[in-house]
Amino acid sequence: MTRAPLPQESSQIAALTRSFLARFFDNEMTGGSSDLQHAFFWLLAALATPGLVMPTVAGNGWNIMALAPGPEGGLDFLRMQASANLTFSIGVTMVGIGLMAAVSWQSLLLERRDVQVLGTFPVRYRTVLIAKLCSLVLFFLILVAATAPLSAVCYGLFLGTAFSVPFGFRVAGLHVLVSTLAALASYLAVIGFQGLVLSVAGPRLFTRVAPLLQLLVVAMLGLLFLSLPAASTATLGRLYAIGPTSPDWVLWMPTTWFYGIYAKGMGVTLPIMDVLIGRAMTTTVALLAIVLVTYPLSYRRLIVDALIGVAAPARRSLPGRGVAAIPALLSASPVAQATLQFTMTTIGRVGVHRLVMSMAVGAAMAIIVPLAAANLGPAGVSPAASVLAIPIVLMTAVLIGLRITYAMPAELGAAWLFRAAAGQEWAEHRIAARRLMLVAGVLLPIAITVPVFGSDWGVGTALLHSLVCAALGALITEGLLIDFDGVPCSAPFEPGRAQLESRWPWYLAGMNIAMLGIPINEAELLITGRPLGLLVIAGVFAVNTAIVRRWSEYRRPEPVTQESPGPASFRVLLR
Amino acid sequence: MLEARSVTRYYGGIPAVLDVNFTVKPGEVLGYLGPNGSGKSTTVKMLTGMLAPTRGYIFFDGVDIQENLLEYKALVGYVPEEAHVYTYLSAEEYLRLAGRLRGLEAGSLDRRIDRFLTLLRLDAERHSALSTFSKGMRQKVLLAAALLHDPKIVVLDEPASGLDVGAMLALRALINGLSRGGRIVFYSSHEMDTVEKIATRVIILRSGRVVADDSVERLRDLTQQVSLENVFAKLAVEDDVDGLAENLLDAMQL
């Protein structure tokens, strides 16, 4: 064979690492839209904020505490008291990095395209793997660099002021170390989880279960986030016997393990700290080992699948048949049916849409699980507000998730199909969008929860609460559909239309009323023996729904005119 | 010289390519034809070193390519049938990645990228993401990536897909030039017209087996057909095309 000069492996690794790293900032989630890319960078910047705000807010109190005499003052007391703040900060870092990993879901592992694009180049599989791992390390370092140093300076500054300058430097160094380790554990957990499932289940099954995995990851992160206030306070109680609570479960929280490193570094000599450090390090090393073992295995499975995998002709499963029948059940109009079919399949199959829905449901689960857990045991005379809130939380999350997915395009270039076929079917598209939200976002959460309400508190209570939920769901649906125009998932993403900058207090107040105010009032009415009051609430929502709907149709946005409606031949065919 | 000897590939017990034999000498253009599912893409995957044969061998200059796959891959330029690219990279970034993976020195790579992008009229779009490119533009980028390192073997799998007439004619001239320069060109396609004009020899595949292997003229003479398209229809097309068309027209009225 004529010998060809083989390229150096190091230069190949450098070239591939650069390319893989770029994917993190322009992946399926952010690709093709500068707005989404900006959102990604804003998210990155937002990660740094808690680390700046928390020590700044606590700083003055720390100074006073350091100077205060008696058992609840002095440097030793401050050293212990700061543990709640530091544990919370560690938790925020873990959740933030985990969320960034979840957003970059598609870019964390190698994919079929890597096999297809790189397969013909003179590149070893080992080289590709090393480059991908290098890009993962670089992405992680970027995330940590965006969060840890500023936060470390703040903690160092404020604790240093209370203690001493050398102590401030020590805290800053410890903060960088602990934040990095905690973030690494969170990051590795997401990658390891993906790698493990991909290695075991194979690429095809992995693609199918990806939404469930994303949901689990977001739900776990949400749970961790929501548990942070309680866990931080409990850390103080369990480790230093300060405060009312000292539960043992806090010793099994990853945030507490990593706090152990902090405490040891700050000079706390309790033996429990060694145990916590041991747990933190064992977990991190175990996660690293999982990643290092599953990464090559999953890549191997991808190679086999991409090159010699024979895709069996897809068959429609029984659930698939059921889903396929939904458009015809929801509308008799062919245009509305087409819109429903397209929207449902897009949300079910396109990665970024599935991610948004998984995140929405995951966030809801993070709220619902503790609510449900707190109400386990014998049912009371009437349901508590926290129980009544469960279907409302799920409903709100699914509806918001659906509305966001409506606004996100899938295969924008293929949207000419709708433009070519489009006439004046604005109302049909809107009906389709509304009905899908009502079925998936309102009826489904109610249907899931109504048997529980029925068995525990009677059919009457279950029906009345369902009625309130349905009316509230219809109102939220109409509210979310204000300014909605066209076919879902087929127009360029315009996050500016949500006007978050100016409307966020309204959104926040609305969610507060829906998820807190309504259940509290319902619970009050039920416990005071005025169940028919729920009918009044439902009636008020129904009237408001009708008003919002009329208003929304009145202020219908101008339809977008398209310069290029697609090939004329298709236009004729579709008409 | 590139030689396939009894090359066979099974996918889970199902044969995709069976006992394929051919030889391509430097300066020859081998047209590789076959209907969908006949084994063309599998052959291409094996020729590019992406896939090993289940049975048989592929030799280049008398050496089994599996013995030193990386060295062999360094000699091959490949334009895939589907435009698999990293769509978040720009044209220039993609070519730079391809050149670096091929070990091209920075200065030479810059000059080649500039020249290729200018000649292919992609200069104005060099910093645009490939996701914004049309199919034809992506095809041009893939062609540039395949030729960037001056390969000895050029494997083209439907390279004309999406190209306009001008680019298509330029591609034909380019293939002739590659052939004159002593390179081995393997051209897999559905496009009879191009193959008829550029191929020095044609292989027709049906259900994974070679059903014809000769020059275009000899195949036309042997089968007494006036064009390669007719030869192909006679040897490889199993469907009753007129009947199918009738049925499709009927289906429109259902």
Side-chain angles (χ1 to χ4, degrees):
Chain A
M1 191 184 300
T2 312
R3 296 191 70 83
L6 277 182
Q8 280 191 332
E9 192 175 19
S10 57
S11 66
Q12 288 184 327
I13 290 173
L16 281 173
T17 302
R18 210 168 295 145
S19 164
F20 289 146
L21 187 63
R23 194 184 300 171
F24 283 104
F25 302 97
D26 197 351
N27 49 45
E28 197 187 9
M29 181 75 190
T30 59
S33 161
S34 57
D35 286 321
L36 282 171
Q37 281 171 15
H38 290 161
F40 187 78
F41 285 108
W42 274 111
L43 192 61
L44 200 59
L47 281 181
T49 315
L52 298 178
V53 173
M54 286 167 52
T56 310
V57 170
N60 199 33
W62 286 343
N63 280 332
I64 295 167
M65 204 179 287
L67 298 170
E72 296 205 351
L75 291 177
D76 283 340
F77 185 74
L78 170 58
R79 207 191 308 262
M80 293 186 279
Q81 193 69 34
S83 67
N85 194 308
L86 294 171
T87 310
F88 196 92
S89 165
I90 292 166
V92 170
T93 304
M94 292 186 83
V95 172
I97 299 290
L99 272 179
M100 291 302 287
V103 169
S104 310
W105 186 264
Q106 309 280 346
S107 312
L108 294 176
L109 293 178
L110 286 153
E111 50 184 90
R112 285 173 66 93
R113 187 172 49 167
D114 296 316
V115 180
Q116 287 157 339
V117 173
L118 302 173
T120 55
F121 287 98
V123 186
R124 291 180 179 87
Y125 292 134
R126 182 188 71 186
T127 310
V128 178
L129 267 177
I130 293 172
K132 185 67 188 177
L133 289 171
C134 286
S135 74
L136 283 173
V137 171
L138 284 175
F139 183 61
F140 174 73
L141 290 177
I142 290 170
L143 294 181
V144 170
T147 53
L150 281 173
S151 178
V153 169
C154 278
Y155 274 103
L157 188 69
F158 286 104
L159 281 171
T161 310
F163 283 83
S164 62
V165 175
F167 188 82
F169 278 110
R170 198 198 304 177
V171 166
L174 276 169
H175 193 87
V176 171
L177 174 71
V178 175
S179 300
T180 306
L181 281 174
L184 182 65
S186 186
Y187 187 64
L188 289 174
V190 178
I191 302 172
F193 183 48
Q194 273 190 325
L196 200 60
V197 179
L198 180 55
S199 309
V200 174
R204 285 159 206 261
L205 189 58
F206 177 78
T207 310
R208 262 188 245 161
V209 298
L212 192 65
L213 304 181
Q214 289 166 328
L215 188 152
L216 274 173
V217 167
V218 176
M220 293 302 290
L221 290 169
L223 269 175
L224 180 61
F225 183 72
L226 291 175
S227 69
L228 283 181
S232 307
T233 315
T235 307
L236 198 60
R238 179 64 184 81
L239 297 180
Y240 303 113
I242 298 173
T245 56
S246 57
D248 278 341
W249 60 261
V250 79
L251 298 179
W252 292 101
M253 292 288 289
T255 45
T256 315
W257 302 341
F258 288 101
Y259 167 71
I261 303 172
Y262 227 129
K264 186 95 178 173
M266 289 203 306
V268 177
T269 52
L270 293 172
I272 186 77
M273 296 307 167
D274 293 328
V275 177
L276 296 176
I277 292 169
R279 285 179 191 167
M281 297 317 291
T282 308
T283 307
T284 310
V285 171
L287 288 168
L288 183 64
I290 289 172
V291 170
L292 291 177
V293 169
T294 58
Y295 222 81
L297 284 176
S298 57
Y299 187 44
R300 183 131 209 99
R301 292 208 68 162
L302 266 177
I303 293 168
V304 171
D305 185 67
L307 294 179
I308 61 171
V310 186
R315 278 177 297 183
R316 187 176 273 181
S317 61
L318 202 59
R321 280 183 208 168
V323 171
I326 291 174
L329 292 173
L330 293 184
S331 174
S333 148
V335 173
Q337 285 180 3
T339 309
L340 277 162
Q341 180 211 338
F342 170 71
T343 311
M344 286 164 59
T345 43
T346 299
I347 293 170
R349 292 181 194 167
V350 178
V352 64
H353 292 74
R354 294 199 307 197
L355 176 62
V356 169
M357 286 312 297
S358 299
M359 290 184 99
V361 178
M365 294 312 292
I367 301 172
I368 289 169
V369 169
L371 289 182
N375 286 283
L376 289 175
V381 183
S382 65
S386 55
V387 179
L388 291 166
I390 288 175
I392 298 176
V393 169
L394 185 57
M395 204 170 70
T396 310
V398 174
L399 287 173
I400 291 173
L402 278 172
R403 183 62 184 90
I404 294 172
T405 58
Y406 284 3
M408 301 176 88
E411 300 280 351
L412 203 50
W416 65 266
L417 180 70
F418 298 106
R419 299 200 296 273
Q424 297 300 313
E425 290 103 352
W426 176 82
E428 305 275 341
H429 298 319
R430 199 179 175 82
I431 287 169
R434 177 186 294 123
R435 288 186 185 170
L436 184 58
M437 287 175 89
L438 289 175
V439 169
V442 180
L443 290 184
L444 197 61
I446 293 173
I448 292 169
T449 50
V450 79
V452 181
F453 285 100
S455 67
D456 280 1
W457 294 286
V459 176
T461 303
L463 286 179
L464 281 171
H465 181 53
S466 300
L467 202 62
V468 172
C469 289
L472 176 62
L475 179 59
I476 296 172
T477 302
E478 288 306 326
L480 290 171
L481 285 177
I482 294 173
D483 288 348
F484 174 76
D485 187 24
V487 181
C489 319
S490 70
F493 186 57
E494 293 178 80
R497 286 180 81 166
Q499 298 180 39
L500 275 176
E501 293 89 347
S502 59
R503 289 186 189 166
W504 70 266
W506 296 102
Y507 292 134
L508 206 59
M511 284 169 67
N512 204 24
I513 290 168
M515 292 196 280
L516 283 175
I518 304 301
I520 287 170
N521 279 298
E522 277 187 280
E524 181 70 20
L525 288 167
L526 287 170
I527 206 157
T528 52
R530 292 175 290 163
L532 292 181
L534 271 66
L535 274 180
V536 177
I537 295 177
V540 171
F541 287 146
V543 171
N544 279 295
T545 303
I547 293 169
V548 174
R549 186 167 168 171
R550 289 298 295 272
W551 180 66
S552 175
E553 282 169 12
Y554 171 75
R555 54 168 276 151
R556 175 199 164 183
E558 283 298 309
V560 180
T561 53
Q562 299 292 341
E563 291 292 318
S564 166
S569 54
F570 276 98
R571 235 177 308 157
V572 173
L573 273 175
L574 288 162
R575 285 201 182 279
Chain B
M1 189 169 72
L2 186 66
E3 184 187 358
R5 205 180 289 170
S6 299
V7 169
T8 300
R9 176 74 213 189
Y10 284 90
Y11 289 133
I14 302 162
V17 172
L18 265 174
D19 279 325
V20 167
N21 292 284
F22 60 77
T23 306
V24 202
K25 295 183 185 121
E28 276 189 351
V29 180
L30 178 68
Y32 205 65
L33 303 173
N36 289 336
S38 60
K40 292 196 305 295
S41 293
T42 301
T43 311
V44 166
K45 279 182 189 172
M46 290 189 284
L47 277 184
T48 52
M50 292 172 81
L51 199 62
T54 313
R55 214 172 50 226
Y57 302 93
I58 297 169
F59 294 100
F60 179 66
D61 285 351
V63 180
D64 181 1
I65 64 166
Q66 296 297 327
E67 279 181 18
N68 199 336
L69 205 52
L70 286 185
E71 262 188 32
Y72 172 74
K73 282 183 175 182
L75 302 170
V76 179
Y78 169 54
V79 178
E81 181 184 9
E82 287 176 53
H84 292 302
V85 284
Y86 293 121
T87 49
Y88 55 87
L89 296 181
S90 69
E92 184 185 319
E93 285 167 342
Y94 185 78
L95 291 180
R96 196 169 298 284
L97 174 68
R100 281 177 173 153
L101 291 177
R102 300 274 184 200
L104 288 179
E105 177 263 322
S108 161
L109 179 59
D110 285 343
R111 285 192 298 277
R112 289 176 199 217
I113 289 174
D114 283 343
R115 195 79 183 123
F116 270 106
L117 289 176
T118 309
L119 289 171
L120 293 169
R121 296 184 184 168
L122 293 171
D123 205 30
E125 323 283 341
R126 63 189 299 152
H127 299 302
S128 304
L130 292 175
S131 57
T132 64
F133 276 32
S134 69
K135 194 172 182 212
M137 288 161 79
R138 281 190 202 182
Q139 207 64 20
K140 287 180 184 176
V141 174
L142 285 169
L143 190 63
L147 301 177
L148 209 55
H149 60 296
D150 188 15
K152 291 195 180 306
I153 305 162
V154 182
V155 179
L156 305 167
D157 196 358
E158 297 288 358
S161 175
L163 295 183
D164 59 30
V165 179
M168 178 67 222
L169 292 172
L171 177 70
R172 284 184 195 172
L174 174 69
I175 292 169
N176 283 330
L178 289 170
S179 151
R180 277 199 306 278
R183 288 167 191 88
I184 291 168
V185 181
F186 184 91
Y187 191 97
S188 170
S189 179
H190 290 290
E191 254 206 305
M192 306 295 153
D193 191 36
T194 304
V195 174
E196 193 161 15
K197 286 194 169 70
I198 60 165
T200 41
R201 225 175 70 246
V202 170
I203 284 180
I204 298 178
L205 218 59
R206 193 171 104 177
S207 305
R209 290 175 187 277
V210 175
V211 291
D213 178 2
D214 219 320
S215 68
V216 177
E217 296 76 24
R218 289 239 331 136
L219 283 175
R220 277 198 302 241
D221 292 346
L222 286 170
T223 54
Q224 297 178 329
Q225 301 292 328
V226 290
S227 68
L228 184 60
E229 190 174 278
N230 292 4
V231 174
F232 183 80
K234 189 175 169 71
L235 295 174
V237 179
E238 294 170 55
D239 297 324
D240 167 15
V241 286
D242 293 332
L244 176 65
E246 282 299 322
N247 288 338
L248 286 171
L249 289 167
D250 286 345
M252 289 167 68
Q253 309 302 322
L254 291 177

